[in-house]
C-alpha cells in the first residue's frame, strides 16, 4: 500500500480506487498517476472497465473507496458547480464521438463556446474555424453528423473537445473501428495536440500498436488491478507472460483461447441433452 | 408460494425504485424550467417539434371523431325527437371528455414516443454523457425545454381537437342529415358552460400534458442505452401514458362532475 503523496508533477492521481458494478468488482484498490504534459495510456482487455475509469475521473461515477484528484481537487468531494467548472477545463473524446445529431459540424464545435462564453458570433466563428483547421476538417463545417465517416466524426469531436482550450483530454478508445489511415491521422493528431497545446492526455485503448507509438507511459489493467506499467519500450520487453501475450496479441497464453468448459470428448459424447 | 411472494416483493421494490427515480427526475426537470426562460429559442424549437408536428394527426382525428359523434348522436337523439340538441351533445362530449382524452392519447403516440426515442438515442450514443462532460446539464438543456413544450402544447392541441370536432359534427348534422344549422349552434351556445365544461376540459388536458411529457421524457432518460432498450422504452411510454391518461381521466371526471 502506498499512501505516499502523488508525485509533484501529476495532474491526475487516483488513490486506492475501488468500484463495483453489481457483484462484479471492476477496480480493486488501484492507484495511478498521470503526469502533466504527457500522454498516459490505460490498456487492458475489453470489459476491464477502462471507460469506467474515465467516468470516475470526470466525476460521472462515484467510487466505493479511494479518491481521484484532478489538479489538486478531489473530484468526488466537489460541489456541482465546482465540478462543472472543473469539467470546463477537461475535454473528453467519446468512442462514438457523441456529436449532437441535430446540429451541423460547425454548431457542434461552437456548442461549448456558446454555452459557456459570451463571445460574439464572429469571434465564435473564428475560434471554430481555427479548431476545425487543427483537425483538418475546416471544409466539412456545414455537414451534419450523419454525413461523417467514423474517423471524421471523431476528429470533429476532438475539435469540440479542444474548443474551450482544456488542460487535459480524456480519450475513450480513440482507435477502435478505424481504418489504418484515419487511425494514423488520429494518432498523429493526439500527439501533435498534446505537444503544441501543452495538454495532458489520458488514452484508454486496447490498440497496442497505435497507442505504443504515441504514449509516454502505459498502465496495463486486468481484473481490476494494475498488472504492469512503464514506457512503451519497457512494456514490449516485459518479463510477465500475461503482458507479453497482451502486447503481442497471441491467441493462447495466460489468457486462454477457450472459455471454461468441461472436457471436449465427454461433452461430445454426452448426447440426449440439449445444452 | 414463497417464490411468488419473492417475485412480488422484487417487482414492488423495482416499481418503487423507478417511481423514486422518476420523481427525482421530475423535480430536477421542474427546477430546470427556470433556466429555459432566458433562452426562448430552445423552447420554440421544441414547441415546433412537439406541438406543431402533431397538428395534422390532431386535426384529422378531431374531424372524424366529430363526424362520428354527429352521426351517432343524431340517430340516438332523433328517437326522442331531440335532434336539435345535437350541437350540445357533440360539444359537451368533445370539450369534457373526448377532446382532452383522445388528443392526449394521440399526443402520447405521436409526440411522446418521439420524445422517448430521441432522448433514449441521445443516451445510447453518449450525447447526454458528452454534454455532462462539457459541463452542460442535459436536464436543463435537453429535458426541461421539451417538458415545457409538452405542457404548453397539450391544452392547445386538445382545444384544436374539440374545435375541429364541433365543426365535423356540424358538417354531418346540418350538411348530411339536414339539421337546422342555427339550432346546432344556438343550443350549443346556450347549454355549454364556460366554467363547468370548458375550464374543466382545459384542466384535464393540462394534467394529461404534464403526465405524458413526464413519462415520455423519463422513459427516454431512464432507458437501457441500447437499441433494444430504447425500443422497449418507447413502447412503455405509449402504454404507461395510455393507462395514466385513462385512469386520471376517471378520477378527474369524478371530482369535477361527480356531484351533479
Amino acid at each position: 500500500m502506498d499512501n505516499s503523496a502523488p508525485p509533484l508533477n501529476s495532474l491526475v492521481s487516483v488513490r486506492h480506487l475501488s468500484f463495483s458494478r453489481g457483484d462484479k468488482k471492476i477496480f480493486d484498490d488501484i492507484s495511478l498517476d498521470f503526469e502533466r504534459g504527457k500522454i498516459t495510456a490505460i490498456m487492458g482487455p475489453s470489459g476491464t472497465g477502462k471507460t469506467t475509469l474515465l467516468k470516475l475521473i470526470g466525476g460521472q461515477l462515484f467510487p466505493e473507496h479511494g479518491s481521484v484528484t484532478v489538479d489538486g481537487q478531489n473530484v468526488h468531494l466537489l460541489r456541482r458547480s465546482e465540478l462543472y467548472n472543473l469539467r470546463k477545463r477537461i475535454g473528453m473524446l467519446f468512442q462514438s464521438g457523441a456529436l449532437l445529431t441535430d446540429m451541423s459540424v460547425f454548431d457542434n464545435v461552437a456548442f461549448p463556446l456558446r454555452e459557456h462564453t459570451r463571445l460574439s458570433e464572429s469571434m465564435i466563428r473564428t475560434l471554430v474555424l481555427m479548431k476545425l483547421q487543427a483537425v483538418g476538417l475546416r471544409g466539412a463545417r456545414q455537414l451534419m453528423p450523419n454525413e461523417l465517416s467514423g474517423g471524421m466524426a471523431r476528429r470533429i469531436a476532438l475539435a469540440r473537445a479542444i474548443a474551450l482550450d482544456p488542460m487535459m483530454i480524456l480519450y475513450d478508445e480513440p482507435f477502435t473501428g478505424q481504418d489504418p489511415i484515419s487511425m494514423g491521422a488520429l494518432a498523429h493528431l493526439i500527439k501533435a495536440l498534446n505537444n503544441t497545446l501543452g495538454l495532458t492526455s489520458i488514452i484508454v485503448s486496447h490498440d497496442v500498436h497505435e497507442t505504443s507509438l504515441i504514449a509516454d507511459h502505459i498502465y496495463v489493467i486486468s481484473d481490476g488491478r494494475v498488472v504492469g506499467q512503464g514506457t512503451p519500450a519497457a512494456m514490449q520487453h516485459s518479463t510477465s507472460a500475461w503482458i507479453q501475450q497482451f502486447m503481442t496479441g497471441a491467441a493462447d497464453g495466460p489468457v486462454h483461447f477457450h472459455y471454461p468448459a468441461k472436457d471436449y470428448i465427454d461433452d461430445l459424447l454426452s448426447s440426449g441433452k440439449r445444452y | 408460494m414463497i417464490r411468488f411472494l419473492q417475485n412480488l416483493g422484487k417487482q414492488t421494490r423495482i416499481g418503487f425504485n423507478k417511481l423514486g427515480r422518476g420523481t427525482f427526475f421530475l423535480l430536477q426537470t421542474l427546477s430546470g424550467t427556470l433556466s429555459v426562460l432566458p433562452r426562448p429559442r430552445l423552447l420554440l424549437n421544441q414547441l415546433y417539434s412537439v406541438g406543431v408536428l402533431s397538428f395534422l394527426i390532431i386535426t384529422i382525428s378531431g374531424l372524424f371523431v366529430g363526424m362520428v359523434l354527429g352521426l351517432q348522436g343524431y340517430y340516438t337523439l332523433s328517437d326522442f325527437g331531440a335532434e336539435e340538441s345535437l350541437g350540445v351533445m357533440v360539444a359537451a362530449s368533445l370539450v369534457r371528455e373526448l377532446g382532452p382524452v383522445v388528443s392526449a392519447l394521440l399526443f402520447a403516440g405521436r409526440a411522446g414516443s418521439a420524445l422517448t426515442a430521441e432522448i433514449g438515442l441521445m443516451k445510447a450514443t453518449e450525447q447526454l454523457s458528452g454534454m455532462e462532460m462539457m459541463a452542460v446539464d442535459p436536464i436543463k438543456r435537453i429535458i426541461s425545454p421539451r417538458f415545457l413544450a409538452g405542457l404548453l402544447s397539450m391544452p392547445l392541441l386538445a382545444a384544436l381537437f374539440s374545435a375541429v370536432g364541433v365543426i365535423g359534427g356540424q358538417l354531418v348534422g346540418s350538411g348530411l342529415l339536414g339539421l337546422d344549422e342555427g339550432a346546432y349552434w344556438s343550443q350549443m351556445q346556450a347549454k355549454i358552460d364556460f366554467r363547468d365544461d370548458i375550464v374543466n376540459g382545459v384542466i384535464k388536458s393540462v394534467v394529461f400534458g404534464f403526465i405524458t411529457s413526464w413519462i415520455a421524457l423519463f422513459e427516454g432518460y431512464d432507458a437501457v442505452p441500447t437499441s433494444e432498450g430504447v425500443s422497449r422504452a418507447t413502447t412503455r411510454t405509449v402504454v404507461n401514458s395510455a393507462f395514466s391518461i385513462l385512469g386520471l381521466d376517471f378520477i378527474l371526471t369524478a371530482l369535477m362532475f361527480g356531484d351533479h
Side-chain angles (χ1 to χ4, degrees):
Chain A
M1 298 276 283
D2 62 332
N3 275 314
S4 57
L8 281 179
N9 208 18
S10 92
L11 180 64
V12 180
S13 61
V14 173
R15 284 285 167 275
H16 306 298
L17 187 82
S18 296
F19 184 81
S20 308
R21 196 158 260 164
D23 291 333
K24 190 168 183 271
K25 220 163 184 141
I26 310 264
F27 297 118
D28 187 9
D29 192 38
I30 61 166
S31 297
L32 310 162
D33 280 296
F34 301 91
E35 218 179 310
R36 270 176 216 272
K38 294 286 166 63
I39 300 179
T40 309
I42 312 276
M43 305 182 73
S46 303
T48 41
K50 301 189 295 296
T51 304
T52 309
L53 183 66
L54 292 187
K55 292 199 165 176
L56 283 161
I57 293 174
Q60 287 189 301
L61 293 173
F62 281 80
E64 278 150 35
H65 301 289
S67 66
V68 177
T69 315
V70 177
D71 200 23
Q73 293 173 290
N74 185 332
V75 174
H76 300 99
L77 295 181
L78 293 178
R79 275 184 307 185
R80 196 179 161 77
S81 58
E82 294 169 329
L83 179 63
Y84 271 32
N85 275 330
L86 179 63
R87 281 183 185 165
K88 286 180 202 168
R89 301 195 286 140
I90 302 175
M92 179 155 175
L93 187 72
F94 284 84
Q95 196 173 339
S96 58
L99 294 175
L100 302 168
T101 39
D102 57 345
M103 291 181 192
S104 69
V105 161
F106 182 94
D107 290 331
N108 260 290
V109 179
F111 182 80
L113 295 165
R114 289 185 178 140
E115 290 289 324
H116 293 308
T117 68
R118 290 168 177 275
L119 298 174
S120 67
E121 272 304 304
S122 70
M123 181 71 98
I124 285 179
R125 180 172 183 277
T126 310
L127 283 171
V128 169
L129 294 187
M130 283 166 66
K131 306 296 174 187
L132 284 173
Q133 175 72 15
V135 299
L137 290 172
R138 187 164 46 83
R141 71 188 104 155
Q142 79 291 357
L143 297 180
M144 294 302 281
N146 58 14
E147 299 172 285
L148 302 171
S149 71
M152 283 163 84
R154 254 173 248 192
R155 277 152 74 188
I156 300 293
L158 188 52
R160 185 178 67 176
I162 56 171
L164 289 173
D165 295 323
M167 59 176 178
M168 167 167 84
I169 302 190
L170 312 174
Y171 297 91
D172 186 5
E173 298 283 7
F175 306 120
T176 305
Q178 300 291 308
D179 62 68
I181 298 177
S182 47
M183 220 188 230
L186 268 168
H188 169 76
L189 254 180
I190 293 173
K191 185 85 179 170
L193 286 177
N194 197 75
N195 295 346
T196 53
L197 301 181
L199 298 169
T200 303
S201 303
I202 300 179
I203 301 179
V204 145
S205 177
H206 50 232
D207 283 277
V208 174
H209 178 69
E210 295 296 332
T211 313
S212 300
L213 284 181
I214 55 170
D216 296 305
H217 192 89
I218 295 179
Y219 284 102
V220 179
I221 294 182
S222 177
D223 290 329
R225 291 174 173 281
V226 177
V227 293
Q229 59 163 305
T231 61
M235 297 305 283
Q236 296 288 357
H237 302 106
S238 167
T239 49
S240 150
W242 194 94
I243 290 176
Q244 272 304 329
Q245 190 193 353
F246 184 77
M247 298 299 281
T248 58
D252 212 348
V255 179
H256 294 296
F257 173 67
H258 288 288
Y259 193 81
K262 62 181 166 180
D263 186 73
Y264 188 36
I265 301 287
D266 287 352
D267 213 358
L268 288 177
L269 292 178
S270 61
S271 54
K273 273 185 255 166
R274 189 146 172 241
Y275 288 112
Chain B
M1 185 63 193
I2 296 288
R3 225 270 162 75
F4 171 75
L5 284 177
Q6 259 179 353
N7 265 330
L8 188 72
K10 190 176 167 199
Q11 290 305 326
T12 315
R13 195 177 59 85
I14 291 175
F16 274 106
N17 205 318
K18 187 163 183 177
L19 190 66
R21 272 180 287 137
T23 310
F24 186 63
F25 172 83
L26 178 66
L27 294 177
Q28 281 182 305
T29 305
L30 290 177
S31 74
T33 52
L34 284 179
S35 61
V36 178
L37 298 178
R39 303 179 64 179
R41 182 108 236 139
L42 288 179
L43 180 60
L44 284 180
N45 286 341
Q46 293 314 315
L47 277 174
Y48 176 77
S49 63
V50 170
V52 177
L53 291 183
S54 306
F55 248 60
L56 194 64
I57 186 174
I58 294 287
T59 313
I60 293 177
S61 312
L63 188 67
F64 279 115
V65 168
M67 283 161 68
V68 169
L69 278 176
L71 276 177
Q72 295 280 13
Y74 184 84
Y75 290 125
T76 312
L77 290 172
S78 62
D79 282 349
F80 306 97
E83 305 94 289
E84 259 79 63
S85 301
L86 183 68
V88 186
M89 204 217 94
V90 169
S93 342
L94 278 170
V95 171
R96 286 183 182 184
E97 284 298 335
L98 293 173
V101 172
V102 178
S103 62
L105 292 173
L106 293 170
F107 182 77
R110 167 66 185 79
S113 60
L115 283 175
T116 306
E118 186 191 12
I119 306 289
L121 282 174
M122 289 184 91
K123 186 178 179 187
T125 54
E126 296 179 312
Q127 292 182 52
L128 296 181
S129 234
M131 251 183 216
E132 268 179 37
M133 283 305 294
M134 284 189 280
V136 176
D137 187 349
I139 298 264
K140 283 184 188 154
R141 183 67 175 62
I142 299 290
I143 305 291
S144 294
R146 284 166 175 73
F147 181 78
L148 270 184
L151 197 61
L152 292 174
S153 303
M154 189 66 259
L156 297 175
L157 290 171
L160 177 73
F161 186 96
S162 300
V164 176
V166 166
I167 293 171
Q170 190 263 329
L171 285 180
V172 168
S174 58
L176 205 64
L177 303 169
L179 188 74
D180 180 44
E181 200 179 329
Y184 184 86
W185 293 115
S186 62
Q187 287 248 6
M188 190 189 302
Q189 203 177 1
K191 290 279 173 55
I192 298 293
D193 184 69
F194 180 74
R195 171 70 193 79
D196 265 359
D197 298 313
I198 295 179
V199 171
N200 278 341
V202 171
I203 292 175
K204 275 186 180 179
S205 60
V206 171
V207 172
F208 298 157
F210 185 94
I211 201 90
T212 311
S213 310
W214 176 25
I215 290 174
L217 291 168
F218 177 63
E219 287 292 356
Y221 196 75
D222 202 50
V224 179
T226 58
S227 346
E228 195 199 359
V230 174
S231 79
R232 275 166 193 265
T234 311
T235 310
R236 272 202 306 274
T237 290
V238 177
V239 173
N240 291 349
S241 301
F243 281 148
S244 316
I245 289 165
L246 296 170
L248 279 172
D249 183 48
F250 175 73
I251 296 173
L252 288 171
T253 306
L255 289 175
M256 288 167 175
F257 304 104
D259 55 350
H260 275 262

